[in-house]
Amino acid sequence: MSQATWNPAQYLSVMSWAMFSTTITSILLALIFFPFTNLGAYLVGWPLGLSITVNVILFIASSLARRDQYVSVSLTAEGIRYTDESESYRRNELLRASDIKNIRVRRNPFFKSLTIDMKGNNQRFFLSNVSLTDTFLAEAGALISGGPSNAPQTDPS
């Protein structure tokens, strides 16, 4: 069956943009406070404010992209296996297909996030910065809607 895991390549991409933004902000700050140039009047307004804002946004996105580093979601015959192997929060749960309301993937400007909504208790399971196979959502939808008998079958020949 298919599996959804944390995407390290996308995390490194967001983190590299955050580091690049930090470099630009540092250069702007250095030019403002460098005593031999008169660039402070030109850089103190919107260029510095924009640079700091972009820097903050990118670091928040990179921390969110790293949040679920040890989480994986696997499709099984009984439902969906949600595993979190982080040091302080060990969790291994089987989410039965009959208890799952829906499963969806949301795309933000930086990465995709997987959300699993449960029926009874309005509980949600998340996986930020997810890497999915092409058939994961189709297989999960088939599993939720009708169980393993409605899942796509492979030709044995």
Side-chain angles (χ1 to χ4, degrees):
M1 285 272 178
S2 295
Q3 186 174 16
T5 57
W6 182 74
N7 189 350
Q10 188 64 32
Y11 166 71
L12 290 175
S13 174
V14 173
M15 187 53 122
S16 66
W17 278 105
M19 289 294 131
F20 178 72
S21 175
T22 300
T23 303
I24 298 298
T25 303
S26 299
I27 290 170
L28 287 175
L29 285 171
L31 289 174
I32 289 171
F33 294 114
F34 195 63
F36 299 111
T37 63
N38 194 12
L39 296 176
Y42 300 109
L43 299 176
V44 170
W46 68 267
L48 182 61
L50 180 65
S51 181
I52 290 172
T53 302
V54 168
N55 199 13
V56 168
I57 290 170
L58 287 171
F59 270 102
I60 289 171
S62 68
S63 68
L64 290 174
R66 189 171 188 264
R67 177 177 60 184
D68 295 329
Q69 182 176 1
Y70 299 105
V71 175
S72 65
V73 175
S74 304
L75 299 179
T76 64
E78 300 85 27
I80 296 176
R81 171 84 46 201
Y82 182 86
T83 307
D84 187 348
E85 298 174 353
S86 62
E87 187 74 26
S88 61
Y89 190 73
R90 301 224 182 253
R91 189 174 188 181
N92 189 0
E93 294 194 28
L94 177 64
L95 310 175
R96 301 218 180 272
S98 60
D99 296 336
I100 298 172
K101 184 193 284 185
N102 65 8
I103 184 168
R104 65 183 183 274
V105 174
R106 289 192 176 165
R107 176 94 176 123
N108 66 37
F110 304 105
F111 51 82
K112 294 186 274 188
S113 297
L114 179 73
T115 305
I116 303 169
D117 293 320
M118 304 302 287
K119 286 181 184 173
N121 53 6
N122 290 331
Q123 188 175 9
R124 284 188 172 163
F125 294 86
F126 292 101
L127 174 53
S128 296
N129 188 21
V130 67
S131 174
L132 299 168
T133 60
D134 293 336
T135 60
F136 182 85
L137 286 177
E139 290 177 14
L143 182 68
I144 293 168
S145 66
S149 59
N150 289 348
Q153 301 293 321
T154 56
D155 188 16
S157 57

